[in-house]
Amino acid sequence: PMTLLQNVMLAVQGTSGHSFRFWAPVSEDREMEAAAMQSLAAVGLDDRADRIAANVSHGEQRQLEVAMALAMKPRMLLLDEPMAGMGKEEGAMMVEILNSLKGDITILLVEHDMDAVFSLADRLSVLVNGHIIATDTVENIRNNHEVQKAYLGDGHA
């Protein structure tokens, strides 16, 4: 079983060229550990770095996935329903984490939790049956008649 820190260290190792240091113990590489801890801190898991990944909550496992992605220093995060299966509290934590990353990294988010979408998005596109019916700011999407009709029925508006 691997800890949260060890999981993120693998992501750091895979992207920083460390994977070819066959004889050097990864667990003793302080630079790699510091980079992994920075990613864990970005998602609020640095205080639980020594916990076994399989033993943490579903929400913490999702946070770990984001930490591992961040450890690879991406220019963009593509997230497909990161709040899926989370309770209200865990979902709120993920929204808070993603909001904290917004200024540093581009995030493309596919999500059905509209409260999360409205609190995270700068611009959003609404799909109905695989077709985009609107792309705009959050405020304009909220007031868009076609979006209301598609999601709330003709009697709304």
Side-chain angles (χ1 to χ4, degrees), residues 110-131:
V110 175
E111 182 59 60
H112 287 94
D113 179 338
M114 293 313 294
D115 290 334
V117 170
F118 287 147
S119 68
L120 288 167
D122 294 322
R123 291 190 59 79
L124 60 129
S125 294
V126 178
L127 281 79
V128 174
N129 297 322
H131 299 284

Side-chain angles (χ1 to χ4, degrees), residues 25-138:
V26 172
S27 62
E28 295 176 13
D29 189 323
R30 297 296 162 224
E31 184 180 313
M32 197 181 323
E33 182 178 330
M37 286 300 293
Q38 184 177 5
S39 292
L40 284 170
V43 300
L45 290 176
D46 50 325
D47 62 337
R48 288 162 277 188
D50 61 342
R51 296 200 45 208
I52 300 297
N55 296 341
V56 299
S57 72
H58 174 69
E60 289 170 324
Q61 288 177 358
R62 299 305 290 266
Q63 288 171 251
L64 174 60
E65 292 168 358
V66 173
M68 292 174 72
L70 292 174
M72 295 186 278
K73 308 239 180 279
R75 288 181 290 176
M76 174 186 268
L77 282 179
L78 304 174
L79 302 174
D80 186 14
E81 298 195 40
M83 276 58 96
M86 289 189 186
K88 193 174 192 115
E89 205 171 290
E90 289 177 324
M93 172 63 85
M94 183 61 77
V95 168
E96 187 178 315
I97 290 165
L98 296 178
N99 260 323
S100 74
L101 298 174
K102 276 176 58 173
D104 300 322
I105 189 166
T106 299
I107 300 172
L108 178 61
L109 175 73
V110 175
E111 182 59 60
H112 287 94
D113 179 338
M114 293 313 294
D115 290 334
V117 170
F118 287 147
S119 68
L120 288 167
D122 294 322
R123 291 190 59 79
L124 60 129
S125 294
V126 178
L127 281 79
V128 174
N129 297 322
H131 299 284
I132 295 175
I133 64 166
T135 298
D136 212 327
T137 63
V138 170

